[in-house]
Amino acid sequence: MASFVIEGGHQLRGEITPQGAKNEALQILCATLLTDGKVTVSNVPNILDVNNLIQLLRDMGVKVAKEDKDTYSFQADELNFAYLESDDFLARCSKLRGSVMLIGPMLSRFGKARISKPGGDKIGRRRLDTHFLGIQKLGAQFFYDDSRGVFQISADKLKGTYMLLDEASVTGTANIIMAAVLAEGKTTIYNAACEPYIQQLCRMLNSMGACISGIASNLLVIEGVKSLNGCTHRILPDMIEVGSFIGMAAMTGGEVTIKDVSYENLGIIPDSFRRLGIQMELKGDDIVIPHMDHYEIDSFLDGSIMTIADAPWPGLTPDLLSVILVVATQAKGSVLIHQKMFESRLFFVDKLIDMGAQIILCDPHRAVVIGHDHNFRLRGRNMTSPDIRAGIALLIAALSADGISRIHNIEQIDRGYQDIEQRLTALGARITRVSGV
């Protein structure tokens, strides 16, 4: 198990470019199974979850070629169906949350899919009902072997229909879209997720010959087509990295320029940090975070305490609440963080409390943060990363802390952040990766 050793208290200064979006990449790579044509994808992030999915596609028989540093081509013209029946395939799916999005394209193109219950972050219950209810409405049958944790899904021919999703699940919407593009007739999906990742998936599928309308809304209409072609596609910058870098600059009192952020696809993220008092300037498509000695949390117009909560797009992504919480620990003022969508994502705050943060964990979904206004620096501590987003929040805390911190289980951070220690070291951070600590 690898660890980071961080010497805190160093301001970050310079320029940094966000990687390609992890969540988009996982959807896009699964969608390459929908055609026997060549699909070329650029700005692919070099992170553990994406690399594991690429290797899984190779083992499934997809022809994968690395065309450039961050560009790959995929051609699923000769799959290894024997491998798809193997225990090794199921075991690897169980360790990769994104593998659930193999179901839609496999079912759509080949009429069957077999997958184990996927793993991923330990952030509470992440049910798959939306995936299967939507796919069932298209005419699929599925069987779940509870003793082995294996789903088997089949369909003679998927047929378009109307459906109202029980929740605006991003991966559920992606799976249903990929199942519906080759279905017979029209599919209407209401309460669809409409995150930029979903918009990108729809645009890519349309460039392959699909017929999807309503993109960027929560009402998608899909006219089924008989087949799809190859295409080229570029992945957006990762909005979670952009938000993480904003938080790092503010917490360390640095001056950082975040390059090529695709600002129009960040939604409410910049304004959420502005609510914490963080200044930023947009120059072209770059965000500049100036040096700030202090930043003060807003209050509501009636003077009541600020509440920042996650919500389906265009609300604030839950993946950034951990970062916003840790940044608030050095703000002036107080804020209520309300994590509505996952019940275990706030449990990492005990580690921040050990570092000296003033946080009241009200329940599994809510925490009140009372900021130190930089009058008291957090103390370096030994910590363990429970998931990707808590891991980056702890790293931000350690960068601003007084003394040495050690973060264990950094494989969780590696799942979502590319070469993070080298990139932050270039900004002036002092981070060392050590093995077996």
Side-chain angles (χ1 to χ4, degrees):
M1 180 185 294
S3 303
F4 282 146
V5 179
I6 304 108
E7 181 182 294
H10 299 279
Q11 293 183 345
L12 303 186
R13 294 186 179 277
E15 297 181 348
I16 192 166
T17 302
Q19 67 188 29
K22 166 185 177 280
N23 291 340
E24 179 186 340
L26 296 176
Q27 297 177 19
I28 294 302
L29 297 187
C30 291
T32 64
L33 294 170
L34 283 165
T35 177
D36 61 5
K38 182 179 177 181
V39 178
T40 302
V41 184
S42 60
N43 204 27
V44 178
N46 180 20
I47 55 177
L48 200 58
D49 274 9
V50 170
N51 292 339
N52 285 342
L53 181 56
I54 290 173
Q55 186 56 50
L56 184 61
L57 290 171
R58 280 195 181 101
D59 293 338
M60 291 170 63
V62 178
K63 298 181 179 71
V64 181
K66 190 169 185 179
E67 308 283 351
D68 203 347
K69 182 178 70 171
D70 63 0
T71 303
Y72 290 81
S73 65
F74 303 85
Q75 190 160 10
D77 58 350
E78 200 172 358
L79 291 191
N80 181 354
F81 290 99
Y83 178 72
L84 297 176
E85 298 293 324
S86 70
D87 290 338
D88 182 67
F89 172 72
L90 294 173
R92 290 170 61 189
C93 288
S94 69
K95 298 175 183 176
L96 179 62
R97 179 74 190 176
S99 65
V100 71
M101 289 181 288
L102 296 171
I103 294 172
M106 289 296 297
L107 186 66
S108 183
R109 186 169 165 212
F110 302 108
K112 61 180 180 179
R114 183 170 177 260
I115 196 168
S116 55
K117 190 174 181 180
D121 290 327
K122 292 177 170 53
I123 57 175
R125 187 172 59 98
R126 302 174 79 175
R127 61 189 183 87
L128 299 176
D129 301 54
T130 302
H131 299 248
F132 291 120
L133 289 172
I135 289 170
Q136 275 185 306
K137 282 184 175 292
L138 293 171
Q141 300 83 41
F142 80 94
F143 170 75
Y144 178 57
D145 185 343
D146 188 53
S147 63
R148 300 180 62 205
V150 175
F151 294 98
Q152 297 192 76
I153 309 98
S154 62
D156 292 332
K157 180 62 181 176
L158 296 178
K159 293 189 177 181
T161 186
Y162 169 86
M163 63 183 77
L164 172 61
L165 302 188
D166 63 331
E167 66 171 348
S169 163
V170 176
T171 54
T173 299
N175 236 341
I176 294 165
I177 290 170
M178 289 187 283
V181 287
L182 296 178
E184 184 180 286
K186 182 171 77 172
T187 299
T188 303
I189 308 172
Y190 199 23
N191 196 31
C194 53
E195 274 77 357
Y197 314 131
I198 292 291
Q199 298 174 35
Q200 285 283 95
L201 173 65
C202 290
R203 293 185 183 110
M204 172 181 157
L205 292 173
N206 277 352
S207 71
M208 295 168 69
C211 185
I212 305 171
S213 58
I215 298 172
S217 79
N218 67 350
L219 179 61
L220 293 175
V221 178
I222 303 170
E223 296 282 354
V225 297
K226 292 187 177 180
S227 63
L228 296 176
N229 310 308
C231 72
T232 59
H233 178 81
R234 182 170 179 81
I235 293 171
L236 286 174
D238 195 310
M239 68 172 75
I240 313 305
E241 268 214 341
V242 174
S244 300
F245 296 148
I246 293 172
M248 289 176 190
M251 279 285 279
T252 65
E255 186 171 339
V256 175
T257 298
I258 310 168
K259 303 286 290 181
D260 302 326
V261 299
S262 188
Y263 192 84
E264 65 180 8
N265 287 298
L266 294 180
I268 201 173
I269 290 171
D271 283 339
S272 297
F273 282 98
R274 289 189 181 101
R275 284 184 160 190
L276 297 181
I278 296 172
Q279 301 170 26
M280 62 188 77
E281 182 182 354
L282 184 64
K283 291 187 176 180
D285 203 26
D286 303 340
I287 292 177
V288 179
I289 312 298
H291 167 75
M292 290 177 288
D293 291 320
H294 302 275
Y295 48 96
E296 184 172 355
I297 299 170
D298 287 344
S299 58
F300 288 117
L301 292 176
D302 62 1
S304 59
I305 185 172
M306 175 61 61
T307 299
I308 296 180
D310 59 342
W313 190 270
L316 179 64
T317 170
D319 285 346
L320 273 175
L321 271 193
S322 300
V323 171
I324 286 173
L325 186 150
V326 76
V327 172
T329 65
Q330 289 300 327
K332 180 180 180 180
S334 301
V335 62
L336 172 65
I337 303 295
H338 192 170
Q339 170 65 265
K340 297 177 181 177
M341 298 171 71
F342 301 103
E343 65 263 27
S344 301
R345 240 182 183 164
L346 293 183
F347 288 156
F348 82 101
V349 302
D350 62 340
K351 300 171 178 63
L352 298 177
I353 294 169
D354 286 344
M355 298 177 78
Q358 292 188 313
I359 302 172
I360 302 166
L361 185 61
C362 308
D363 56 44
H365 292 276
R366 296 176 300 159
V368 174
V369 183
I370 303 156
H372 287 306
D373 191 21
H374 287 289
N375 291 320
F376 174 84
R377 282 174 59 182
L378 301 178
R379 300 180 295 266
R381 285 289 184 268
N382 281 329
M383 301 170 279
T384 300
S385 172
D387 64 75
I388 301 175
R389 308 310 175 188
I392 203 68
L394 294 175
L395 178 57
I396 294 170
L399 289 170
S400 72
D402 187 13
I404 303 295
S405 296
R406 290 174 174 82
I407 302 177
H408 307 293
N409 194 30
I410 60 170
E411 289 81 5
Q412 288 286 355
I413 300 174
D414 290 337
R415 288 177 50 212
Y417 292 85
Q418 175 178 313
D419 301 327
I420 191 66
E421 71 270 29
Q422 294 99 317
R423 296 160 74 202
L424 294 181
T425 297
L427 294 179
R430 298 192 181 178
I431 306 174
T432 304
R433 179 185 293 260
V434 293
S435 300
V437 176

